[in-house]
Coordinates of all heavy atoms in Angstrom, one line a residue:
L1 N 0.5 8.7 16.7 CA -0.7 9.1 17.2 C -1.6 9.7 16.1 O -1.0 10.4 15.3 CB -0.6 10.1 18.3 CG 0.1 9.7 19.6 CD1 0.2 10.9 20.5 CD2 -0.6 8.5 20.3
Y2 N -2.9 9.4 16.1 CA -3.7 10.0 15.1 C -5.1 10.3 15.7 O -5.6 9.4 16.4 CB -3.9 9.0 13.9 CG -4.8 9.5 12.8 CD1 -4.2 10.5 11.9 CD2 -6.1 9.1 12.7 CE1 -5.0 11.0 10.9 CE2 -6.9 9.6 11.7 CZ -6.3 10.5 10.8 OH -7.1 11.0 9.8
C3 N -5.6 11.4 15.6 CA -6.9 11.8 16.1 C -7.8 12.1 14.9 O -7.4 12.8 14.0 CB -6.8 12.9 17.1 SG -8.3 13.2 18.0
H4 N -9.0 11.7 14.9 CA -9.9 11.9 13.8 C -11.3 12.4 14.4 O -11.8 11.8 15.3 CB -10.1 10.6 13.1 CG -10.9 10.7 11.8 ND1 -10.3 11.2 10.7 CD2 -12.2 10.5 11.5 CE1 -11.2 11.2 9.7 NE2 -12.4 10.8 10.2
A5 N -11.8 13.4 13.8 CA -13.1 13.9 14.3 C -14.2 13.4 13.3 O -14.0 13.3 12.1 CB -13.2 15.4 14.3
L6 N -15.3 13.0 13.9 CA -16.5 12.5 13.2 C -17.7 13.4 13.5 O -18.0 13.6 14.7 CB -16.7 11.1 13.6 CG -17.9 10.3 13.1 CD1 -17.7 10.0 11.6 CD2 -18.1 9.0 13.9
L7 N -18.3 14.0 12.5 CA -19.4 14.9 12.8 C -20.7 14.4 12.2 O -20.7 13.8 11.1 CB -19.1 16.3 12.1 CG -17.8 17.0 12.5 CD1 -17.6 18.2 11.6 CD2 -17.9 17.4 13.9
T8 N -21.8 14.7 12.8 CA -23.1 14.4 12.2 C -24.2 15.4 12.6 O -24.0 16.0 13.7 CB -23.6 12.9 12.6 OG1 -24.8 12.7 12.0 CG2 -23.7 12.8 14.1
Q9 N -25.1 15.6 11.8 CA -26.3 16.5 12.1 C -27.4 15.7 12.9 O -28.4 16.3 13.2 CB -26.8 17.1 10.8 CG -25.9 18.0 10.2 CD -25.7 19.3 10.9 OE1 -26.6 19.9 11.4 NE2 -24.5 19.9 11.0
S10 N -27.2 14.4 13.1 CA -28.2 13.6 13.7 C -28.4 13.9 15.2 O -27.4 14.2 15.8 CB -27.8 12.1 13.6 OG -27.7 11.7 12.2
A11 N -29.6 13.8 15.6 CA -29.8 14.0 17.1 C -29.7 12.7 17.9 O -29.5 12.8 19.0 CB -31.3 14.6 17.2
F12 N -29.7 11.6 17.2 CA -29.6 10.3 17.9 C -28.7 9.4 17.1 O -28.6 9.5 15.9 CB -31.0 9.6 18.0 CG -32.0 10.5 18.7 CD1 -33.0 11.2 18.0 CD2 -32.0 10.6 20.1 CE1 -33.9 12.0 18.7 CE2 -32.9 11.4 20.8 CZ -33.8 12.1 20.1
L13 N -28.1 8.5 17.8 CA -27.2 7.5 17.1 C -27.9 6.7 16.1 O -27.3 6.2 15.1 CB -26.5 6.6 18.1 CG -25.3 7.1 18.9 CD1 -24.8 6.1 19.9 CD2 -24.2 7.5 17.9
Q14 N -29.2 6.4 16.3 CA -29.9 5.5 15.4 C -30.3 6.2 14.1 O -30.7 5.6 13.1 CB -31.2 5.0 16.1 CG -30.9 4.0 17.1 CD -30.4 4.6 18.4 OE1 -30.6 5.8 18.7 NE2 -29.7 3.8 19.2
E15 N -30.2 7.5 14.0 CA -30.7 8.3 12.8 C -29.7 8.1 11.7 O -28.5 7.8 11.9 CB -30.8 9.8 13.1 CG -32.0 10.1 13.9 CD -32.3 11.5 14.0 OE1 -31.8 12.3 13.2 OE2 -33.0 11.9 15.0
V16 N -30.2 8.2 10.5 CA -29.3 8.0 9.3 C -28.6 9.3 9.1 O -29.1 10.4 9.5 CB -30.2 7.7 8.1 CG1 -29.4 7.6 6.8 CG2 -31.0 6.4 8.3
G17 N -27.4 9.3 8.5 CA -26.5 10.4 8.2 C -27.2 11.5 7.5 O -28.4 11.6 7.6
P18 N -26.5 12.4 6.9 CA -25.1 12.2 6.5 C -24.2 12.4 7.7 O -24.5 13.1 8.6 CB -24.8 13.3 5.5 CG -25.8 14.4 5.8 CD -27.0 13.7 6.4
T19 N -23.1 11.7 7.7 CA -22.1 11.8 8.7 C -20.8 12.3 8.0 O -20.3 11.7 7.1 CB -21.8 10.4 9.3 OG1 -23.0 9.9 9.9 CG2 -20.8 10.5 10.4
M20 N -20.3 13.4 8.5 CA -19.0 14.0 8.0 C -17.9 13.2 8.6 O -17.8 13.0 9.8 CB -18.8 15.4 8.4 CG -20.0 16.3 7.9 SD -20.5 16.1 6.3 CE -22.2 16.5 6.4
V21 N -17.0 12.6 7.8 CA -15.9 11.8 8.3 C -14.5 12.3 8.0 O -13.6 11.6 8.4 CB -16.1 10.3 7.7 CG1 -17.4 9.7 8.2 CG2 -16.1 10.3 6.2
G22 N -14.4 13.4 7.3 CA -13.0 13.9 7.0 C -13.0 15.2 6.3 O -14.1 15.7 5.8
D23 N -11.8 15.7 6.1 CA -11.7 16.9 5.3 C -10.7 16.6 4.1 O -10.4 15.5 3.9 CB -11.1 18.1 6.1 CG -9.8 17.8 6.7 OD1 -9.1 16.9 6.3 OD2 -9.4 18.5 7.7
E24 N -10.4 17.6 3.3 CA -9.6 17.4 2.1 C -8.2 16.8 2.4 O -7.5 16.3 1.6 CB -9.4 18.6 1.3 CG -8.6 19.7 2.0 CD -9.4 20.9 2.4 OE1 -10.5 20.8 2.8 OE2 -8.8 22.0 2.2
H25 N -7.7 16.8 3.7 CA -6.4 16.3 4.1 C -6.5 14.9 4.7 O -5.5 14.4 5.2 CB -5.8 17.3 5.1 CG -5.7 18.7 4.5 ND1 -4.9 19.0 3.5 CD2 -6.3 19.8 4.9 CE1 -5.0 20.3 3.2 NE2 -5.9 20.8 4.1
S26 N -7.7 14.3 4.7 CA -7.9 13.0 5.3 C -7.2 11.9 4.5 O -7.1 12.0 3.3 CB -9.4 12.7 5.5 OG -10.0 13.6 6.4
D27 N -6.9 10.8 5.2 CA -6.3 9.6 4.5 C -7.3 9.1 3.5 O -8.4 8.6 3.8 CB -6.0 8.6 5.6 CG -5.5 7.3 5.0 OD1 -5.2 7.2 3.8 OD2 -5.2 6.4 5.9
P28 N -6.9 9.1 2.2 CA -7.8 8.7 1.1 C -8.1 7.2 1.2 O -9.2 6.8 0.9 CB -7.0 8.9 -0.2 CG -5.7 9.5 0.2 CD -5.7 9.7 1.7
N29 N -7.2 6.4 1.8 CA -7.5 4.9 1.9 C -8.6 4.7 3.0 O -9.5 3.9 2.8 CB -6.2 4.2 2.3 CG -5.2 4.1 1.1 OD1 -5.6 4.1 0.0 ND2 -4.0 4.2 1.5
L30 N -8.5 5.5 4.1 CA -9.5 5.4 5.1 C -10.9 5.9 4.6 O -11.9 5.2 4.9 CB -9.1 6.2 6.4 CG -10.1 6.1 7.5 CD1 -10.3 4.7 8.0 CD2 -9.6 7.0 8.7
M31 N -10.8 6.9 3.8 CA -12.1 7.5 3.3 C -12.7 6.5 2.3 O -14.0 6.3 2.3 CB -11.9 8.8 2.6 CG -11.4 9.9 3.5 SD -12.5 10.3 4.8 CE -11.7 9.6 6.2
Q32 N -11.9 5.8 1.5 CA -12.4 4.7 0.6 C -13.0 3.6 1.4 O -14.1 3.1 1.1 CB -11.3 4.3 -0.3 CG -11.8 3.2 -1.3 CD -10.7 2.8 -2.2 OE1 -9.5 3.2 -2.1 NE2 -11.0 2.0 -3.2
F33 N -12.3 3.2 2.5 CA -12.8 2.1 3.4 C -14.2 2.4 3.9 O -15.1 1.6 4.0 CB -11.8 1.8 4.5 CG -12.3 0.9 5.5 CD1 -12.4 -0.5 5.3 CD2 -12.8 1.3 6.8 CE1 -12.9 -1.4 6.2 CE2 -13.2 0.5 7.7 CZ -13.3 -0.9 7.5
L34 N -14.4 3.7 4.3 CA -15.6 4.1 4.9 C -16.7 4.3 3.8 O -17.9 4.5 4.1 CB -15.5 5.4 5.7 CG -14.6 5.4 6.9 CD1 -14.4 6.8 7.5 CD2 -15.2 4.4 7.9
G35 N -16.3 4.3 2.5 CA -17.3 4.6 1.5 C -17.6 6.0 1.3 O -18.7 6.4 0.9
A36 N -16.7 6.9 1.7 CA -17.0 8.4 1.8 C -16.9 9.0 0.4 O -16.2 8.6 -0.5 CB -16.0 9.0 2.7
T37 N -17.7 10.0 0.2 CA -17.7 10.9 -1.0 C -17.2 12.2 -0.6 O -17.5 12.8 0.4 CB -19.2 11.0 -1.5 OG1 -19.7 9.7 -1.8 CG2 -19.2 11.8 -2.8
K38 N -16.3 12.8 -1.5 CA -15.7 14.1 -1.3 C -16.6 15.1 -1.9 O -17.1 15.0 -3.1 CB -14.3 14.1 -1.9 CG -13.5 15.4 -1.5 CD -12.1 15.2 -2.1 CE -11.2 16.3 -1.7 NZ -9.9 16.2 -2.3
R39 N -17.0 16.2 -1.2 CA -17.8 17.3 -1.7 C -17.4 18.6 -1.2 O -16.7 18.8 -0.2 CB -19.3 17.0 -1.4 CG -19.6 17.2 0.1 CD -21.0 17.0 0.4 NE -21.3 17.2 1.8 CZ -22.4 16.9 2.4 NH1 -23.4 16.5 1.7 NH2 -22.6 17.1 3.7
N40 N -17.8 19.6 -2.0 CA -17.6 21.0 -1.6 C -19.0 21.7 -1.6 O -19.6 21.8 -2.6 CB -16.7 21.7 -2.6 CG -16.5 23.2 -2.3 OD1 -17.2 24.0 -2.8 ND2 -15.6 23.5 -1.4
M41 N -19.4 22.1 -0.4 CA -20.7 22.7 -0.2 C -20.6 24.2 -0.7 O -19.6 24.9 -0.5 CB -21.2 22.7 1.2 CG -21.4 21.3 1.8 SD -22.6 20.3 1.0 CE -24.1 21.1 1.7
L42 N -21.7 24.6 -1.4 CA -21.7 26.0 -1.9 C -21.5 27.0 -0.7 O -22.0 26.9 0.3 CB -23.1 26.3 -2.4 CG -23.3 27.6 -3.1 CD1 -22.4 27.8 -4.3 CD2 -24.8 27.8 -3.5
G43 N -20.5 27.9 -1.0 CA -20.1 28.9 0.0 C -19.0 28.5 0.9 O -18.4 29.4 1.6
N44 N -18.6 27.2 0.9 CA -17.5 26.8 1.8 C -16.2 26.8 0.9 O -16.2 26.6 -0.3 CB -17.7 25.3 2.3 CG -18.7 25.2 3.3 OD1 -19.2 26.3 3.9 ND2 -19.1 24.0 3.7
H45 N -15.1 27.2 1.5 CA -13.8 27.2 0.8 C -13.0 25.9 1.1 O -11.8 25.9 0.9 CB -13.0 28.5 1.3 CG -12.7 28.5 2.7 ND1 -13.6 28.8 3.7 CD2 -11.5 28.2 3.4 CE1 -13.0 28.7 4.9 NE2 -11.7 28.3 4.7
F46 N -13.6 24.9 1.5 CA -12.9 23.6 1.8 C -13.8 22.5 1.4 O -15.0 22.6 1.1 CB -12.7 23.5 3.4 CG -14.0 23.6 4.2 CD1 -14.7 22.4 4.4 CD2 -14.4 24.8 4.7 CE1 -15.9 22.5 5.2 CE2 -15.6 24.9 5.4 CZ -16.3 23.7 5.7
W47 N -13.1 21.3 1.2 CA -13.8 20.1 0.8 C -14.0 19.2 2.1 O -13.2 19.3 3.0 CB -12.9 19.3 -0.2 CG -12.9 20.0 -1.5 CD1 -12.1 21.1 -1.8 CD2 -13.7 19.7 -2.6 NE1 -12.3 21.5 -3.1 CE2 -13.3 20.7 -3.7 CE3 -14.6 18.8 -2.9 CZ2 -13.8 20.6 -4.9 CZ3 -15.2 18.8 -4.2 CH2 -14.8 19.7 -5.2
E48 N -15.0 18.4 2.1 CA -15.2 17.4 3.2 C -15.7 16.1 2.6 O -16.1 16.0 1.5 CB -16.3 18.0 4.1 CG -17.7 18.2 3.4 CD -18.7 18.9 4.2 OE1 -18.3 19.5 5.2 OE2 -19.9 18.9 3.8
Y49 N -15.4 15.0 3.4 CA -15.9 13.7 3.1 C -17.1 13.4 3.9 O -17.1 13.7 5.1 CB -14.8 12.7 3.4 CG -13.7 12.6 2.4 CD1 -12.5 13.3 2.6 CD2 -13.8 11.8 1.2 CE1 -11.4 13.2 1.7 CE2 -12.7 11.7 0.3 CZ -11.6 12.4 0.5 OH -10.5 12.3 -0.3
Y50 N -18.1 12.7 3.3 CA -19.2 12.3 4.1 C -19.7 11.0 3.6 O -19.4 10.5 2.5 CB -20.4 13.4 3.9 CG -21.1 13.3 2.6 CD1 -22.3 12.6 2.5 CD2 -20.5 13.8 1.4 CE1 -22.9 12.5 1.3 CE2 -21.2 13.7 0.2 CZ -22.4 13.0 0.1 OH -23.0 12.9 -1.1
V51 N -20.5 10.3 4.5 CA -21.2 9.1 4.1 C -22.6 9.2 4.5 O -23.0 10.1 5.3 CB -20.6 7.9 4.8 CG1 -19.1 7.6 4.4 CG2 -20.6 8.0 6.3
N52 N -23.5 8.4 3.9 CA -24.9 8.5 4.3 C -25.2 7.5 5.4 O -26.4 7.4 5.8 CB -25.8 8.2 3.0 CG -25.8 9.3 2.1 OD1 -25.9 10.5 2.5 ND2 -25.8 9.1 0.8
D53 N -24.2 6.8 5.9 CA -24.4 5.9 7.0 C -24.7 6.6 8.3 O -24.3 7.7 8.5 CB -23.2 5.0 7.2 CG -22.9 4.1 6.1 OD1 -23.8 3.7 5.4 OD2 -21.7 3.8 5.9
A54 N -25.4 5.9 9.2 CA -25.6 6.4 10.5 C -24.3 6.5 11.3 O -23.4 5.7 11.0 CB -26.6 5.5 11.3
P55 N -24.2 7.4 12.3 CA -22.9 7.4 13.0 C -22.5 6.1 13.6 O -21.3 5.8 13.6 CB -23.2 8.5 14.1 CG -24.3 9.3 13.5 CD -25.1 8.4 12.7
R56 N -23.4 5.3 14.1 CA -23.1 4.0 14.8 C -22.4 3.1 13.8 O -21.5 2.3 14.1 CB -24.3 3.4 15.4 CG -25.3 3.0 14.5 CD -26.6 2.4 15.2 NE -27.7 2.3 14.2 CZ -27.8 1.4 13.3 NH1 -26.9 0.5 13.2 NH2 -28.8 1.4 12.5
V57 N -22.8 3.1 12.5 CA -22.2 2.3 11.5 C -20.8 2.7 11.2 O -19.8 1.9 11.2 CB -23.0 2.3 10.2 CG1 -22.3 1.6 9.1 CG2 -24.4 1.8 10.4
V58 N -20.6 4.1 11.1 CA -19.2 4.6 10.9 C -18.3 4.3 12.1 O -17.2 3.9 11.9 CB -19.3 6.1 10.6 CG1 -17.9 6.7 10.5 CG2 -20.1 6.4 9.4
L59 N -18.8 4.5 13.3 CA -18.0 4.2 14.5 C -17.6 2.7 14.6 O -16.5 2.4 14.9 CB -18.8 4.6 15.8 CG -19.0 6.1 16.0 CD1 -20.0 6.4 17.1 CD2 -17.6 6.8 16.3
N60 N -18.5 1.8 14.2 CA -18.2 0.4 14.2 C -17.1 0.1 13.2 O -16.2 -0.7 13.4 CB -19.4 -0.4 13.9 CG -20.4 -0.5 15.1 OD1 -20.0 -0.2 16.2 ND2 -21.6 -0.8 14.8
K61 N -17.2 0.7 12.0 CA -16.1 0.5 11.0 C -14.8 1.0 11.5 O -13.8 0.4 11.3 CB -16.5 1.2 9.7 CG -17.6 0.6 8.9 CD -17.9 1.4 7.6 CE -18.9 0.7 6.7 NZ -19.2 1.5 5.5
L62 N -14.8 2.2 12.1 CA -13.5 2.8 12.6 C -12.9 2.0 13.7 O -11.7 1.8 13.8 CB -13.7 4.2 13.0 CG -14.0 5.2 11.9 CD1 -14.4 6.6 12.4 CD2 -12.7 5.4 11.0
E63 N -13.8 1.4 14.5 CA -13.3 0.5 15.6 C -12.6 -0.7 15.1 O -11.6 -1.2 15.6 CB -14.5 0.1 16.5 CG -14.1 -0.8 17.7 CD -15.2 -1.2 18.6 OE1 -16.3 -1.4 18.0 OE2 -15.0 -1.3 19.8
S64 N -13.2 -1.2 13.9 CA -12.5 -2.4 13.3 C -11.1 -2.1 12.8 O -10.4 -3.0 12.5 CB -13.4 -3.0 12.2 OG -13.4 -2.2 11.1
C65 N -10.8 -0.8 12.6 CA -9.5 -0.4 12.1 C -8.6 0.1 13.2 O -7.5 0.6 13.0 CB -9.7 0.8 11.2 SG -10.5 0.5 9.6
G66 N -9.1 -0.1 14.5 CA -8.2 0.2 15.6 C -8.5 1.6 16.2 O -7.7 2.0 17.2
Y67 N -9.5 2.3 15.8 CA -9.8 3.6 16.4 C -10.7 3.4 17.6 O -11.4 2.4 17.7 CB -10.5 4.5 15.4 CG -9.7 5.0 14.3 CD1 -9.6 4.2 13.1 CD2 -9.0 6.2 14.4 CE1 -8.8 4.7 12.1 CE2 -8.2 6.6 13.3 CZ -8.1 5.9 12.2 OH -7.3 6.3 11.1
R68 N -10.6 4.3 18.6 CA -11.5 4.2 19.7 C -11.9 5.6 20.1 O -11.2 6.6 19.9 CB -10.8 3.6 20.9 CG -9.6 4.3 21.5 CD -9.0 3.6 22.7 NE -7.8 4.2 23.1 CZ -7.7 5.2 24.0 NH1 -8.9 5.7 24.5 NH2 -6.6 5.8 24.3
V69 N -13.1 5.7 20.6 CA -13.7 7.0 20.9 C -13.0 7.5 22.2 O -12.9 6.8 23.2 CB -15.2 6.9 21.2 CG1 -15.8 8.2 21.7 CG2 -15.9 6.5 19.9
V70 N -12.5 8.8 22.2 CA -11.9 9.4 23.3 C -12.9 10.4 24.0 O -12.9 10.5 25.2 CB -10.6 10.1 22.9 CG1 -9.9 10.7 24.1 CG2 -9.7 9.3 22.0
S71 N -13.6 11.1 23.2 CA -14.6 12.0 23.7 C -15.7 12.2 22.7 O -15.6 11.9 21.5 CB -13.9 13.3 24.1 OG -13.4 14.0 22.9
M72 N -16.8 12.8 23.2 CA -18.0 13.1 22.4 C -18.6 14.4 23.0 O -18.6 14.5 24.2 CB -18.9 11.9 22.4 CG -20.1 12.1 21.5 SD -21.4 12.9 22.5 CE -22.8 12.6 21.4
T73 N -19.1 15.2 22.1 CA -19.8 16.4 22.6 C -20.9 16.8 21.6 O -20.9 16.4 20.4 CB -18.9 17.6 22.8 OG1 -19.6 18.6 23.5 CG2 -18.3 18.1 21.5
G74 N -21.8 17.6 22.0 CA -22.8 18.1 21.1 C -22.7 19.6 20.9 O -22.4 20.3 21.9
V75 N -22.8 20.1 19.7 CA -22.8 21.5 19.4 C -24.0 21.8 18.6 O -24.1 21.5 17.4 CB -21.5 21.9 18.6 CG1 -21.5 23.4 18.3 CG2 -20.3 21.4 19.2
G76 N -25.1 22.4 19.3 CA -26.3 22.6 18.6 C -26.9 21.2 18.3 O -27.0 20.3 19.1
Q77 N -27.3 21.0 17.0 CA -27.8 19.7 16.6 C -26.7 18.8 16.0 O -26.9 17.8 15.5 CB -28.9 19.9 15.6 CG -30.1 20.4 16.1 CD -31.3 20.4 15.2 OE1 -31.1 20.3 14.0 NE2 -32.5 20.6 15.7
T78 N -25.4 19.3 16.1 CA -24.3 18.5 15.6 C -23.6 17.7 16.7 O -23.4 18.3 17.8 CB -23.3 19.5 15.0 OG1 -23.9 20.2 13.9 CG2 -22.1 18.7 14.4
L79 N -23.3 16.5 16.5 CA -22.6 15.7 17.4 C -21.2 15.5 16.9 O -21.0 15.3 15.7 CB -23.3 14.3 17.6 CG -24.7 14.3 18.1 CD1 -25.3 12.9 18.1 CD2 -24.8 14.9 19.4
V80 N -20.2 15.5 17.8 CA -18.8 15.4 17.4 C -18.2 14.3 18.3 O -18.2 14.4 19.5 CB -18.0 16.8 17.6 CG1 -16.6 16.6 17.2 CG2 -18.7 17.9 16.9
W81 N -17.5 13.4 17.6 CA -16.8 12.3 18.3 C -15.3 12.5 18.0 O -15.0 12.8 16.8 CB -17.2 10.9 17.8 CG -18.5 10.5 18.3 CD1 -18.7 9.7 19.4 CD2 -19.7 10.6 17.6 NE1 -20.1 9.5 19.5 CE2 -20.7 10.0 18.4 CE3 -20.1 11.3 16.5 CZ2 -22.1 10.0 18.1 CZ3 -21.5 11.3 16.1 CH2 -22.4 10.6 17.0
C82 N -14.4 12.4 18.9 CA -13.0 12.4 18.7 C -12.5 11.0 18.9 O -12.7 10.4 20.0 CB -12.3 13.4 19.7 SG -10.5 13.5 19.4
L83 N -11.8 10.5 17.9 CA -11.3 9.1 18.0 C -9.8 9.2 17.9 O -9.2 10.1 17.4 CB -11.8 8.3 16.8 CG -13.3 8.0 16.8 CD1 -14.1 9.1 16.2 CD2 -13.6 6.7 16.1
H84 N -9.2 8.1 18.5 CA -7.7 8.0 18.6 C -7.3 6.7 18.1 O -7.9 5.7 18.4 CB -7.3 8.2 20.1 CG -5.9 8.0 20.3 ND1 -4.9 9.0 20.0 CD2 -5.2 7.0 20.9 CE1 -3.7 8.5 20.3 NE2 -3.9 7.3 20.8
K85 N -6.1 6.7 17.5 CA -5.5 5.4 17.0 C -4.0 5.6 17.2 O -3.4 6.6 16.8 CB -5.8 5.1 15.6 CG -5.1 3.9 15.0 CD -5.5 3.6 13.6 CE -4.9 2.4 13.1 NZ -5.1 2.1 11.7
E86 N -3.4 4.6 17.9 CA -1.9 4.6 18.1 C -1.2 3.9 16.9 O -1.8 3.1 16.3 CB -1.6 4.0 19.4 CG -2.0 4.8 20.5 CD -1.4 4.4 21.9 OE1 -0.3 3.9 21.8 OE2 -2.1 4.5 22.9

């Protein structure tokens, strides 16, 4: 079992990213497939992977790898999707 969280600051699925797709412990092969860049934001003590793609593009790529959306919620202006792959 594998669960992956996908975060975006976008208010709508059609908006362009950035879309956060992982943290420093994420699968590097998956991050490469998504075209993600690893960064450390000033003041944060952790690294994150992000892409400039819209969330719908990232979700389509993850679906092609066997992931499916299990849940989605909004936290302020941030949208969070939880995906599952067996």
Side-chain angles (χ1 to χ4, degrees):
L1 297 177
Y2 182 77
C3 190
H4 188 79
L6 176 69
L7 305 171
T8 183
Q9 293 288 322
S10 299
F12 304 101
L13 279 176
Q14 289 77 21
E15 289 188 20
V16 179
T19 303
M20 305 313 149
V21 295
D23 61 19
E24 67 246 41
H25 306 292
S26 296
D27 177 2
N29 293 325
L30 180 60
M31 296 300 106
Q32 183 177 6
F33 172 75
L34 295 174
T37 302
K38 191 175 182 181
R39 71 177 178 188
N40 177 266
M41 300 295 287
L42 184 63
N44 288 349
H45 64 282
F46 57 88
W47 291 80
E48 62 190 10
Y49 283 96
Y50 77 99
V51 296
N52 285 322
D53 294 330
R56 63 182 168 77
V57 173
V58 177
L59 290 168
N60 287 342
K61 286 181 179 180
L62 289 168
E63 182 181 34
S64 75
C65 292
Y67 290 88
R68 63 181 176 88
V69 175
V70 187
S71 65
M72 181 270 193
T73 190
V75 182
Q77 290 188 342
T78 300
L79 301 174
V80 181
W81 286 269
C82 183
L83 291 88
H84 175 77
K85 179 179 181 181
E86 288 193 34

